């Protein structure tokens, strides 16, 4: 008959603050519990979650994810992360076209940014990894630079179990991009940096910048711009939109620009920057007239400013294939598409509420079309109710532009 091993604890009378000693009655052996055993015991002693407590819903934020999460959740996540001294943590910046991604956060049944990136890393190093993003963009939202971190342990393929020195960042970038191009080619690593093991891509972010593109004009949206911008058939008033931005910038209660389902504790946010800029369309090619002017500017003895004075201001809504007539006018050539006016809304803050950027753009667009006034924007902000705001802008025009960090030096 086998007897269960019976243990009792015994304090050291010489040093009461020392860890308890486990005494085995069967073998008369003493042992001190390891740190990992003690940590596991403490975790097991945690009270179970209350059944009334709502489960955490995994969601994407379309650039509007609040970085200020409940303190309890942050503490739990940090405690459960086991630091492996044999791994190297990399900070990885990626760009992607969000059209075919169902958001950034990993989902087991859908194609996501994290899922595709983890798959590429696994093919590179031969073992699974966990990737944590700075911003959980929504389905259809693009990124010029979304930052994440990943821990990689380099194991020898010739001698299994032998840990080698970490890969250089340039090697990681080149290898992961190789596998990304085989999986749709709509995402690419643009930068990699070695960081300390406690550097977190999400919690260490100081600032996030988002861009939103709008195309204004009666002409149908170009095929090349599909799912890259929000097409607004009406003309947009730039000055009115800029005045509305002045009302919204700063520290406010943005409850009117907070979608249902937002898990942030407070609706108060500080919007460091919000403005609208008119820019050239992304698919811009010089017309014949512009090419001739450019040629004259480089060959003529007249100053460049004088040569370009004739066409120094873009002609809104005109074609990029223009021909000068004998009478001195300009006509559009057959088969050429008319240009649309392109606007970019820039929003910069440490954190955003759920769908905050897209709700802000929806109101600014209504101001640009004349459906709302600047006074209406003030009323919507003071209402502190999302039902008072205009319809939310679609995801296709939103871009995560930049995530700012106070990065450690390479030395």
């Amino acid at each position: 008959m086998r007897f269960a091993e019976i243990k009792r604890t015994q304090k050291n009378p010489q040093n009461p603050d020392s860890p308890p000693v486990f005494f085995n009655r069967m073998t008369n052996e003493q042992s001190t519990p390891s740190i990992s055993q003690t940590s596991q015991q403490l975790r097991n002693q945690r009270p179970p979650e209350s059944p009334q407590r709502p489960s955490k819903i995994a969601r994407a934020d379309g650039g509007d994810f609040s970085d200020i999460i409940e303190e309890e959740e942050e503490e739990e996540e940090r405690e459960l992360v086991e630091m492996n001294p044999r791994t190297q943590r990399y900070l990885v910046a990626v760009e992607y076209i969000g059209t075919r991604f169902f958001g950034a956060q990993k989902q087991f049944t859908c194609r996501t940014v994290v899922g595709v990136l983890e798959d590429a890393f696994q093919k590179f190093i031969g073992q699974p990894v966990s990737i944590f993003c700075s911003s959980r963009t929504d389905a259809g939202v693009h990124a010029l630079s979304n930052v994440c971190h990943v821990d990689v342990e380099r194991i020898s393929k010739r001698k299994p179990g032998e840990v080698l020195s970490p890969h250089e960042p340039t090697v990681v970038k080149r290898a992961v991009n190789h596998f990304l191009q085989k999986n749709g080619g709509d995402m690419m690593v643009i930068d990699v940096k070695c960081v300390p093991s406690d550097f977190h891509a999400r919690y260490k972010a100081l600032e996030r910048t988002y861009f939103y593109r709008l195309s204004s004009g009666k002409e149908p949206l170009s095929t090349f711009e599909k799912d890259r911008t929000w097409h607004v058939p009406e003309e947009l008033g730039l000055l009115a939109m800029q005045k509305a931005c002045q009302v919204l910038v700063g520290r406010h209660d943005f409850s009117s620009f907070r979608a249902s389902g937002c898990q942030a504790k407070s609706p108060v946010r500080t919007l460091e920057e919000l403005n609208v800029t008119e820019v050239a369309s992304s698919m811009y090619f010089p017309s014949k007239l512009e090419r001739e002017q450019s040629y004259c500017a480089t060959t003529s003895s007249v100053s460049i400013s004088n040569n370009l004075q004739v066409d120094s201001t873009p002609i809104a809504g005109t074609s990029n294939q223009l021909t000068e007539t004998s009478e001195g006018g300009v006509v559009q050539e057959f088969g050429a598409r008319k240009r649309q006016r392109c606007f970019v809304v820039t929003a910069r803050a440490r954190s955003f509420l759920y769908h905050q950027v897209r709700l802000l753009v929806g109101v600014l667009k209504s101001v640009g079309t004349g459906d709302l006034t600047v006074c209406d924007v003030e009323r919507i902000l003071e209402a502190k109710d999302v039902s008072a705001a205009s319809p939310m802008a679609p995801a296709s025009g939103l871009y995560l532009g930049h995530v700012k960090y106070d990065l450690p030096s390479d030395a």
Side-chain angles (χ1 to χ4, degrees):
M1 181 177 179
R2 299 183 62 182
F3 293 90
E5 185 179 69
I6 302 175
K7 294 185 178 181
R8 62 182 174 84
T9 60
Q10 179 178 346
K11 279 287 186 178
N12 185 349
Q14 303 295 332
N15 186 5
D17 296 330
S18 63
V21 177
F22 286 9
F23 185 84
N24 192 321
R25 292 183 178 178
M26 300 293 296
T27 62
N28 290 331
E29 294 177 354
Q30 295 181 353
S31 63
T32 301
S34 64
I35 295 176
S36 60
Q37 290 173 339
T38 305
S39 300
Q40 186 63 38
Q41 291 171 0
L42 291 174
R43 289 177 184 173
N44 293 337
Q45 291 175 5
R46 289 180 178 176
E49 282 195 6
S50 170
Q52 285 80 24
R53 180 181 179 181
S55 60
K56 301 298 179 183
I57 302 175
R59 61 172 176 77
D61 71 356
D64 306 308
F65 179 80
S66 173
D67 184 52
I68 304 178
I69 308 299
E70 290 85 343
E71 295 179 1
E72 179 181 353
E73 181 183 1
E74 290 186 1
E75 184 177 354
E76 288 177 358
E77 287 185 6
R78 287 167 176 167
E79 286 180 357
L80 294 176
V81 173
E82 294 287 345
M83 297 298 181
N84 187 345
R86 304 194 305 175
T87 63
Q88 173 62 58
R89 178 161 293 188
Y90 296 97
L91 202 62
V92 182
V94 294
E95 65 177 13
Y96 50 85
I97 300 170
T99 307
R100 297 197 300 118
F101 288 108
F102 286 84
Q105 192 172 2
K106 188 173 182 178
Q107 303 177 42
F108 294 104
T109 58
C110 301
R111 184 174 186 263
T112 65
V113 172
V114 169
V116 170
L117 194 55
E118 286 183 349
D119 181 65
F121 265 95
Q122 182 172 356
K123 290 178 180 177
F124 166 42
I125 64 175
Q127 54 186 335
V129 299
S130 295
I131 290 177
F132 300 88
C133 278
S134 64
S135 303
R136 302 174 186 176
T137 54
D138 218 349
V141 176
H142 318 290
L144 305 177
S145 179
N146 195 352
V147 182
C148 56
H149 76 256
V150 59
D151 293 331
V152 174
E153 185 180 31
R154 186 183 178 190
I155 305 296
S156 173
K157 295 182 179 179
R158 296 181 179 180
K159 298 179 181 179
E162 180 181 355
V163 180
L164 304 177
S165 58
H167 292 287
E168 290 295 323
T170 54
V171 175
V172 176
K173 176 181 176 181
R174 185 169 63 251
V176 174
N177 277 335
H178 169 75
F179 293 107
L180 287 176
Q181 296 312 302
K182 293 185 176 183
N183 192 350
D186 46 3
M187 177 164 57
M188 177 176 287
V189 174
I190 59 176
D191 208 355
V192 179
K193 181 181 178 64
C194 295
V195 293
S197 58
D198 61 347
F199 192 96
H200 201 289
R202 180 171 150 204
Y203 302 137
K204 293 288 187 178
L206 302 177
E207 196 174 74
R208 293 166 174 83
T209 302
Y210 289 93
F211 301 112
Y212 197 99
R213 296 183 68 242
L214 302 98
S215 296
S216 170
K218 296 180 181 180
E219 289 290 318
L221 190 64
S222 169
T223 303
F224 296 103
E225 292 283 6
K226 183 182 179 182
D227 298 323
R228 305 288 197 278
T229 185
W230 183 15
H231 179 222
V232 180
E234 302 92 343
E235 286 293 325
L236 293 175
L238 178 60
L239 184 60
M241 291 190 292
Q242 290 174 338
K243 288 182 178 179
C245 288
Q246 297 174 8
V247 174
L248 297 167
V249 75
R251 186 174 180 82
H252 303 286
D253 181 334
F254 283 102
S255 294
S256 295
F257 301 91
R258 177 187 190 182
S260 60
C262 181
Q263 297 177 349
K265 284 181 119 179
S266 171
V268 177
R269 289 293 183 271
T270 301
L271 204 53
E272 301 290 350
E273 178 184 359
L274 183 67
N275 62 56
V276 185
T277 310
E278 185 170 6
V279 299
S281 60
S282 59
M283 299 298 291
Y284 185 93
F285 303 98
S287 67
K288 182 178 179 181
L289 181 60
E290 290 169 331
R291 296 195 301 270
E292 290 175 351
Q293 291 175 343
S294 176
Y295 176 76
C296 292
T298 57
T299 58
S300 175
S301 59
V302 184
S303 65
I304 294 178
S305 59
N306 289 336
N307 280 292
L308 296 180
Q309 188 174 359
V310 178
D311 192 29
S312 59
T313 304
I315 304 174
T318 56
S319 168
N320 63 348
Q321 295 296 330
L322 304 175
T323 303
E324 189 172 8
T325 64
S326 57
E327 292 80 11
V330 177
V331 297
Q332 176 187 339
E333 291 185 356
F334 172 77
R337 171 180 281 276
K338 289 184 178 180
R339 288 178 186 158
Q340 293 177 326
R341 298 180 69 184
C342 184
F343 301 88
V344 173
V345 179
T346 303
R348 179 170 54 87
R350 179 181 180 271
S351 61
F352 292 89
L353 300 169
Y354 186 40
H355 285 164
Q356 180 180 353
V357 175
R358 290 165 60 186
L359 285 165
L360 288 169
V361 173
V363 168
L364 292 177
K365 174 260 182 186
S366 296
V367 172
T369 57
D371 295 330
L372 293 176
T373 65
V374 175
C375 293
D376 291 330
V377 176
E378 295 176 348
R379 175 184 53 80
I380 292 171
L381 182 63
E382 293 172 359
K384 298 180 177 59
D385 186 353
V386 69
S387 63
S390 300
M392 184 171 61
S396 57
L398 186 60
Y399 296 75
L400 172 58
H402 179 66
V403 183
K404 183 181 178 180
Y405 296 94
D406 183 11
L407 292 173
S409 60
D410 295 327

